[in-house]
Amino acid sequence: MRAVRSGPLVLGVARHRGRGMRAGAARRAGRPDTGETPEDVGSELFRELARMVAALAEVQGLRSFALPYPGLAQRALDRTVMHCLDVGETPPRSLPELWEWCRTKPAGDPLFAVPGSLVTPGTTLVHPIGRMPTRSCLEVASHGPDGGVAAHARALLGDLEARCGAGERYRQCRRFLARHPVVQQRDRFGLGWSKTIWNRVKDLYGPLPESLLVDGVFLRCPSCGLPALPRGGTVPVPGPSATDADIWCEGEECPRAAPPELIRDPDQAWILRRSLRAFLVLPYRTEEAARDALGRAGIDHEALSGPLSAYRLRDTGPAIVDIQVYDRLQPALLAAHLTDSAHLADRTFVVVPDALAGRDGYREAFAEALPALLRDRLVLTTPVDLVPDLGRARREEKDDA
């Protein structure tokens, strides 16, 4: 793997020799030679398709695309066709076929050739079972100057904080959102329901989209509480068959210890905006575990505005020490996001779920993607290791003093 430079990161690879072949392909396509290799174009196309998939998944009835296609989709289809012509591959004939390509062609496919040091080679943009955007798709779509889906989540929470004011009211609302990705009508009559909180956050919910319904029924994962879909588009029958790998949920990493919950009156339910489901709900359990670990150790901290899940530690001496919590499948893209972040302290502990940090190559890929100057300032850790890592960092600072 190679380190990612510290400036704005692009999904691209180093340019190779063979400019004459590129010029010939450009001439055959009737376009000027830009100096980009097919690999450069393929990597950028992968990111454009990620943005397209993320946007189209918000459209009702996305499985039945109809002409005229949305502008974003038409541009992505056109660019895919031109790239296929350049590299000698038969292009997709329609948007539904392009959507299928996003389900079957991974990042490492020669059509895209996204470097494995940036995105895991087997990553697809559309999930093979759920046929909805993968978590990695949303992470790729969030990479870039505009911040994509993740920036949308930050903007929504920023607006909520502005309306609530910093403090307990905002924290109560944020906690409600993280714990209630789906709200049913009956929830509003249960114990602990706060009409005041609901009135502050209800504009962040909408009706259950048609694309998440199966035979008029909504399935909810019992582990993460997020939408689920079965292979084949039929409601699973109760029993062991409903707990196997033929069921997808937005969390993607959840155990199948129990069948999905069925909501048979979907018109009486509301769902949180998808950007918040991906970038607030998913990391929230890790965030709670990290806060609990700090509390047990007697380490004071305060929430920060800006990043989605960030805290500043108190009583750390002259050094500013922050914690940021993430649940990201692509470690290099997480490193790129932090590299470009304006919210970096003297030392920032990046807390991710234990299962992610334990994956082969995850920590190494994260470190390799960081500029050398940031590798000592950014410490990847987990809720279990957070307090020991904090103690180790403090001892090192004392030794260096």
Side-chain angles (χ1 to χ4, degrees):
M1 286 188 249
R2 59 181 177 83
V4 178
R5 66 180 186 276
S6 59
L9 182 70
V10 293
L11 284 177
V13 292
R15 292 172 179 162
H16 301 289
R17 288 176 293 179
R19 183 176 173 81
M21 294 177 63
R22 298 198 302 272
R27 285 194 297 271
R28 288 193 299 275
R31 301 191 311 280
D33 174 27
T34 64
E36 290 183 311
T37 68
E39 290 85 357
D40 291 328
V41 177
S43 293
E44 289 299 326
L45 178 61
F46 190 76
R47 189 170 70 176
E48 181 171 350
L49 290 175
R51 293 194 296 265
M52 179 204 76
V53 168
L56 287 186
E58 297 294 288
V59 179
Q60 292 277 2
L62 58 83
R63 291 186 181 87
S64 56
F65 298 116
L67 290 168
Y69 299 143
L72 178 72
Q74 187 62 60
R75 288 191 297 272
L77 177 59
D78 292 344
R79 283 197 61 187
T80 304
V81 169
M82 297 308 298
H83 180 55
C84 287
L85 294 176
D86 278 352
V87 300
E89 182 161 340
T90 303
R93 295 167 294 181
S94 64
L95 185 55
E97 188 170 325
L98 180 58
W99 191 271
E100 184 65 17
W101 277 31
C102 292
R103 188 178 77 91
T104 57
K105 291 184 180 295
D109 187 279
L111 180 71
F112 302 123
V114 180
S117 57
L118 293 177
V119 177
T120 307
T123 297
T124 60
L125 299 176
V126 174
H127 197 275
I129 296 175
R131 297 179 178 269
M132 298 293 288
T134 60
R135 287 176 55 184
S136 290
C137 173
L138 300 184
E139 292 175 21
V140 172
S142 298
H143 170 66
D146 64 356
V149 185
H152 182 251
R154 289 193 296 273
L156 291 175
L157 288 179
D159 179 67
L160 176 64
E161 185 175 12
R163 288 187 280 119
C164 292
E168 186 59 27
R169 283 191 298 180
Y170 171 66
R171 288 192 291 271
Q172 288 174 345
C173 291
R174 185 178 179 276
R175 182 165 55 246
F176 179 92
L177 297 174
R179 294 178 176 178
H180 298 85
V182 177
V183 173
Q184 298 183 68
Q185 178 70 20
R186 68 187 186 194
D187 296 336
R188 302 171 66 179
F189 302 100
L191 293 175
W193 179 266
S194 170
K195 183 177 180 181
T196 301
I197 291 178
W198 176 245
N199 285 337
R200 290 187 185 129
V201 303
K202 64 182 179 181
D203 62 313
L204 297 175
Y205 290 79
L208 296 177
E210 175 189 333
S211 56
L212 292 176
L213 302 183
V214 181
D215 295 336
V217 174
F218 178 80
L219 280 65
R220 179 163 59 180
C221 174
S223 296
C224 65
L226 295 173
L229 289 170
R231 188 191 298 273
T234 58
V235 177
V237 298
S241 63
T243 64
D244 60 20
D246 284 341
I247 293 179
W248 161 90
C249 76
E250 277 189 342
E252 294 184 14
E253 306 291 306
C254 297
R256 301 297 178 208
E261 176 190 353
L262 305 184
I263 298 179
R264 299 188 181 278
D265 297 314
D267 57 333
Q268 298 296 313
W270 298 266
I271 191 167
L272 186 64
R273 300 282 287 274
R274 190 192 51 187
S275 63
L276 291 173
R277 300 199 306 266
F279 295 106
L280 172 64
V281 174
L282 278 174
Y284 193 73
R285 283 178 294 183
T286 303
E287 180 183 336
E288 286 188 311
R291 288 203 314 265
D292 289 345
L294 293 176
R296 288 192 300 270
I299 300 174
D300 290 335
H301 55 282
E302 59 182 348
L304 294 176
S305 298
L308 288 169
S309 303
Y311 297 86
R312 178 152 294 167
L313 302 188
R314 298 192 181 106
D315 302 323
T316 58
I320 298 175
V321 181
D322 286 354
I323 291 170
Q324 293 192 31
V325 184
Y326 294 91
D327 190 344
R328 303 282 185 98
L329 299 184
Q330 299 297 328
L333 294 185
L334 174 57
H337 164 70
L338 291 163
T339 297
D340 295 333
S341 174
H343 301 277
L344 285 182
D346 296 322
R347 181 164 290 186
T348 298
F349 289 82
V350 183
V351 186
V352 300
D354 295 273
L356 280 185
R359 286 185 175 179
D360 288 344
Y362 191 95
R363 290 177 179 270
E364 293 79 6
F366 177 81
E368 286 287 332
L370 288 174
L373 291 176
L374 289 182
R375 289 177 187 167
D376 289 335
R377 292 177 58 192
L378 290 166
V379 180
L380 190 74
T381 187
T382 69
V384 172
D385 295 331
L386 174 59
V387 172
D389 284 346
L390 284 170
R392 189 176 303 109
R394 288 176 178 174
R395 289 191 296 272
E396 291 173 356
E397 288 174 359
K398 289 180 180 179
D399 291 342
D400 292 340

